[in-house]
């Protein structure tokens, strides 16, 4: 009797199983995702449960399984997997958003006007800070000077970082505070710009930046939270659901953890510890951290630097710069030091990503990885070379042999194109910004922006990757267009392969069942639209783990 009475209930419950297996039904979308094999798949609807994708398919096929799930009506708009930036600087973005932005300036006068406006608007700030200047864009033919800066801010110390973060421009007040004068020597790996009499003129390159930067008071906890909030909001706005943070200190890791605990992270952060010194020793006590806070924070990677940047001629080259024939740039470490740092981090189970721009730096890093693998292994940690910007063509196959990921930034190519050939000459361009060559040999290319060096907008990156043109469409055929990616290749580099570079391709990067429901709705179909318009794509909504983290306000 008991059994009979219970039976209908059991049947009802059993019948209802497919219907209650979702809490979000994403209906009526023009959906795209790659599958694990990298093949492009289409869908019209998606079921999500507990923050993860249950199924994608046709509207008719999935509607019957949606049950009581909340419905997101996509109104036929295009849906993509959330984009992942494999190399960026989260706190740097937040700081940049709260500083004078010199990136768009086209002349020294314009830059000085921006600095003056910012200084006047932030009278309470002790230091006037900014970033993004590039004397090449100003057609200045030289670095700017402290005296020029004094003309707009003389009463407060002022420090402005160059667009690549590899040089800083100080006013006289900042130099005075830092105690810099004629007798200050260039530190190892750094250079102070000087006049004919040996007097510092206001620009500090690479390791010389510290001489001034160390006098800036560190930000307090309240300001750090404001900075992170600003960065997270911007990332959500441009459709980034994951970011690999290329070099963080212990303070940032603690802040990220607090945000993860409080469910305040709106993008998944893959933090790379900056260096193998005190912060690494402290953080490595508990070993690598994976999937913390419900898959929102990973700390299982270390960021190292082999050299500087091309713009400031700090990138280490095998042969001298074509436009500075006595200068080969600067290697930050001896080969033995580099090998020891990699061995230390990989020995503790941490992935290593080494910044290497010049061909000499890339070779040093390749040699070091080869030595470490031979001595103690570690190849399975999916180690990476960050930027891999100028590589001797002879060295490119070594990326594959060593199983190294090329972590590259498509927008660097289109930002650098007017400068790179001056620095390198035509012959060296063969192994420069050579994404396609890496892809064709089977190397995983993870794409990023290096924000705030570049805009965080991943559609700028997709556009550069495909067209190798700037936003004005120049040059018309693309810059070394044979190195351009197809759009599916570019999407893969910003999703599946960026996830792979963070050991997360089983949970992120595609919208296959079991993956986190991280996705965006955009205002156009980039696969059918003109490639020339990809960069102006507008993100309408951003969802992370099945929760909306951004919606563009209606106009
Ligand atoms: Zn970087």
């Amino acid at each position: 009797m008991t059994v009979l009475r219970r039976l209908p209930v059991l049947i009802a419950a059993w019948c209802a199983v497919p219907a209650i297996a979702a809490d979000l039904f994403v209906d009526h979308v023009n959906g795209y995702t790659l599958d694990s094999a990298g093949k492009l798949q289409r869908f019209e609807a998606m079921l999500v449960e507990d923050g993860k994708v249950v199924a994608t398919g046709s509207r008719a096929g999935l509607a019957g399984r949606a049950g009581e799930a909340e419905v997101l009506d996509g109104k036929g708009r295009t849906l993509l997997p959330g984009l992942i930036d494999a190399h960026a600087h989260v706190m740097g973005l937040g700081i940049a958003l709260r500083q004078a932005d010199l990136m768009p300036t086209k002349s020294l006068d314009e830059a000085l006007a921006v600095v003056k406006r910012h200084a006047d608007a932030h009278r309470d700030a002790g230091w006037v800070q900014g970033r993004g200047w590039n004397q090449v864009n100003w057609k200045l033919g030289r670095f700017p000077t402290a005296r020029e800066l004094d003309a707009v801010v003389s009463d407060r110390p002022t420090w402005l970082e160059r667009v690549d973060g590899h040089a800083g421009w100080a006013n006289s007040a900042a130099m005075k505070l830092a105690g810099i004068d004629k007798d200050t020597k260039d530190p190892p790996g750094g250079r102070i710009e000087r006049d004919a009499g040996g007097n510092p003129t206001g620009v500090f390159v690479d390791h010389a930046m510290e001489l001034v930067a160390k006098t800036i008071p560190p930000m307090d906890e309240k300001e750090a939270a404001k900075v992170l909030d600003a960065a997270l909001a911007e990332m959500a706005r441009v459709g980034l659901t994951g970011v690999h943070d290329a070099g963080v200190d212990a303070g940032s890791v603690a802040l990220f953890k607090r945000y993860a605990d409080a469910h305040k992270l709106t993008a998944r952060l893959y933090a790379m510890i900056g260096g193998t010194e005190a912060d690494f020793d402290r953080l490595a006590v508990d070993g690598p951290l994976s999937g913390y806070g419900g898959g929102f924070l990973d700390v299982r990677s270390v960021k190292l630097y082999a050299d500087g940047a091309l713009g400031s001629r700090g990138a280490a080259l095998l042969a001298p710069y074509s436009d500075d024939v006595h200068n080969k740039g600067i290697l930050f470490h001896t080969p033995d030091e580099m090998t020891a740092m990699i061995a230390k981090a990989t020995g503790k189970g941490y992935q290593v990503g080494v910044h290497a721009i010049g061909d000499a730096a890339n070779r040093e890093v390749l040699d070091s990885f080869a030595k470490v693998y031979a001595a103690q292994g570690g190849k399975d940690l999916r180690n990476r070379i960050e930027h891999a910007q100028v590589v001797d063509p002879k060295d490119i196959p070594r990326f594959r042999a060593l199983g190294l990921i090329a972590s590259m930034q498509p927008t660097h190519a289109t930002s650098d194109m007017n400068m790179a050939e001056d620095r390198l000459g035509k012959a060296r361009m063969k192994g420069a910004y050579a994404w396609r060559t890496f892809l064709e040999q089977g190397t995983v290319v993870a794409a990023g922006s290096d924000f705030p060096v570049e805009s965080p907008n991943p559609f700028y990156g997709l556009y550069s990757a495909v067209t190798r043109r700037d936003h004005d469409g120049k040059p018309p055929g693309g810059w070394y267009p044979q190195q351009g990616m197809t759009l599916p290749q570019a999407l893969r580099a910003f999703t599946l392969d960026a996830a792979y570079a963070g050991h997360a391709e089983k949970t992120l990067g595609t919208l296959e069942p079991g993956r986190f429901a991280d996705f965006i709705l955009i205002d156009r179909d980039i696969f059918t639209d003109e490639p020339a318009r990809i960069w102006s794509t507008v993100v309408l909504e951003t969802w992370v783990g099945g929760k909306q983290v951004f919606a563009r306000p209606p106009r």
Side-chain angles (χ1 to χ4, degrees):
M1 202 56 200
T2 315
V3 172
L4 272 179
R5 241 189 295 130
R6 282 179 61 99
L7 204 55
V9 180
L10 277 171
I11 289 169
W14 181 79
C15 288
V17 164
I20 57 164
D23 46 41
L24 176 68
F25 179 46
V26 182
D27 188 25
H28 193 197
V29 292
N30 173 35
Y32 290 93
T33 184
L34 297 169
D35 62 19
S36 309
K39 268 185 72 184
L40 198 62
Q41 307 289 342
R42 307 286 305 270
F43 57 91
E44 299 171 341
M46 177 166 73
L47 285 172
V48 176
E49 189 199 13
D50 222 2
K52 290 187 173 156
V53 177
V54 178
T56 54
S58 66
R59 300 180 69 186
L62 294 187
R65 293 175 58 190
E68 304 280 277
E70 185 194 331
V71 178
L72 165 62
D73 181 1
K75 301 186 181 114
R77 293 171 303 184
T78 295
L79 184 151
L80 300 178
L83 298 167
I84 300 170
D85 190 315
H87 181 120
H89 303 275
V90 173
M91 297 301 279
L93 174 64
I95 290 167
L97 288 166
R98 295 172 63 76
Q99 289 187 352
D101 177 15
L102 303 176
M103 200 111 86
T105 60
K106 296 268 188 286
S107 69
L108 174 61
D109 284 343
E110 201 186 315
L112 291 171
V114 170
V115 173
K116 183 166 174 27
R117 250 197 325 271
H118 184 86
D120 290 344
H122 299 85
R123 291 235 153 254
D124 55 324
W127 279 67
V128 178
Q129 293 187 70
R131 64 173 301 146
W133 60 272
N134 183 351
Q135 82 286 359
V136 178
N137 290 350
W138 299 339
K139 314 228 167 11
L140 202 57
R142 59 165 174 86
F143 279 129
T145 66
R147 204 167 302 159
E148 285 160 334
L149 200 45
D150 293 345
V152 288
V153 191
S154 57
D155 56 336
R156 282 182 288 165
T158 301
W159 178 243
L160 309 166
E161 279 191 26
R162 195 178 184 278
V163 61
D164 59 8
H166 286 269
W169 173 24
N171 68 354
S172 297
M175 291 205 288
K176 198 170 162 209
L177 255 180
I180 287 159
D181 58 25
K182 199 176 165 176
D183 301 325
T184 310
K185 291 198 172 53
D186 288 9
R191 190 177 74 241
I192 301 171
E193 290 292 313
R194 297 171 197 271
D195 63 18
N199 301 297
T201 52
V203 167
F204 300 79
V205 179
D206 284 322
H207 283 188
M209 294 169 69
E210 258 309 291
L211 297 173
V212 181
K214 69 174 185 218
T215 31
I216 302 172
M219 61 180 159
D220 59 19
E221 245 175 63
K222 236 168 96 190
E223 174 65 12
K226 277 189 203 160
V227 161
L228 180 53
D229 289 340
L232 289 169
E234 179 68 2
M235 281 148 49
R237 191 182 70 82
V238 298
L240 289 172
T241 59
V243 171
H244 296 192
D245 198 335
V248 300
D249 58 15
S252 295
V253 170
L255 178 65
F256 295 169
K257 265 187 160 173
R258 276 205 303 281
Y259 266 58
D261 290 338
H263 308 287
K264 277 165 70 180
L265 288 180
T266 51
R268 302 179 193 282
L269 301 183
Y270 183 85
M272 306 165 79
I273 302 165
T276 52
E277 287 119 41
D279 277 5
F280 174 76
D281 290 338
R282 209 170 332 147
L283 292 164
V285 168
D286 301 322
L289 187 68
S290 303
Y292 186 82
F296 273 93
L297 178 63
D298 282 46
V299 188
R300 59 181 303 179
S301 187
V302 167
K303 166 82 181 297
L304 302 173
Y305 282 87
D307 66 347
L310 205 57
S312 47
R313 298 191 187 81
L317 300 178
L318 294 165
Y321 280 88
S322 299
D323 58 357
D324 187 2
V325 295
H326 300 296
N327 181 9
K328 292 208 282 186
I330 312 165
L331 274 177
F332 288 175
H333 304 281
T334 66
D336 285 346
E337 286 167 0
M338 179 56 69
T339 305
M341 290 189 293
I342 292 174
K344 179 176 176 182
T346 56
K348 295 216 155 92
Y350 285 82
Q351 175 196 60
V352 172
V354 191
H355 164 120
I357 302 261
D359 49 11
N362 276 278
R363 181 168 296 170
E364 176 186 65
V365 176
L366 289 162
D367 290 346
S368 288
F369 275 119
K371 263 187 226 154
V372 172
Y373 291 174
Q376 65 180 44
K379 196 172 168 180
D380 55 324
L381 292 168
R382 302 186 185 177
N383 299 302
R384 357 192 319 185
I385 294 191
E386 304 299 315
H387 311 305
Q389 211 167 79
V390 185
V391 185
D392 187 310
K394 280 202 302 287
D395 286 334
I396 289 180
R398 298 177 68 199
F399 278 73
R400 181 174 160 75
L402 294 165
L404 292 169
I405 293 164
S407 170
M408 304 179 82
Q409 299 73 36
T411 41
H412 279 349
T414 44
S415 298
D416 291 358
M417 58 190 178
N418 296 321
M419 166 274 286
E421 222 169 275
D422 293 349
R423 300 279 187 278
L424 301 168
K426 273 217 157 39
R428 274 188 288 206
M429 293 311 301
K430 208 165 172 242
Y433 312 87
W435 320 315
R436 192 66 174 247
T437 309
F438 282 109
L439 286 173
E440 277 168 7
Q441 71 172 10
T443 291
V444 171
V445 174
S449 67
D450 207 3
F451 70 64
V453 174
E454 303 275 358
S455 160
N457 187 337
F459 290 93
Y460 289 11
L462 290 167
Y463 169 78
S464 289
V466 172
T467 66
R468 310 246 324 176
R469 296 196 294 253
D470 66 18
H471 292 185
D472 298 324
K474 287 180 193 144
W479 185 64
Y480 295 93
Q482 66 279 11
Q483 290 294 350
M485 298 186 204
T486 65
L487 184 53
Q489 281 175 331
L491 181 66
R492 179 177 179 145
F494 272 104
T495 56
L496 182 57
D497 285 352
Y500 178 88
H503 295 271
E505 77 283 4
K506 295 274 195 307
T507 51
L508 305 177
T510 80
L511 294 170
E512 294 170 293
R515 266 56 170 193
F516 280 116
D518 298 353
F519 62 91
I520 56 176
L521 290 169
I522 55 177
D523 71 338
R524 70 196 64 183
D525 184 341
I526 55 173
F527 285 95
T528 56
D529 203 6
E530 278 292 308
R533 285 169 26 97
I534 294 173
W535 68 269
S536 56
T537 300
V538 173
V539 174
L540 305 171
E541 293 181 30
T542 302
W543 291 67
V544 177
K547 291 201 171 69
Q548 189 184 66
V549 297
F550 168 78
R552 194 178 169 77
R555 287 196 299 162

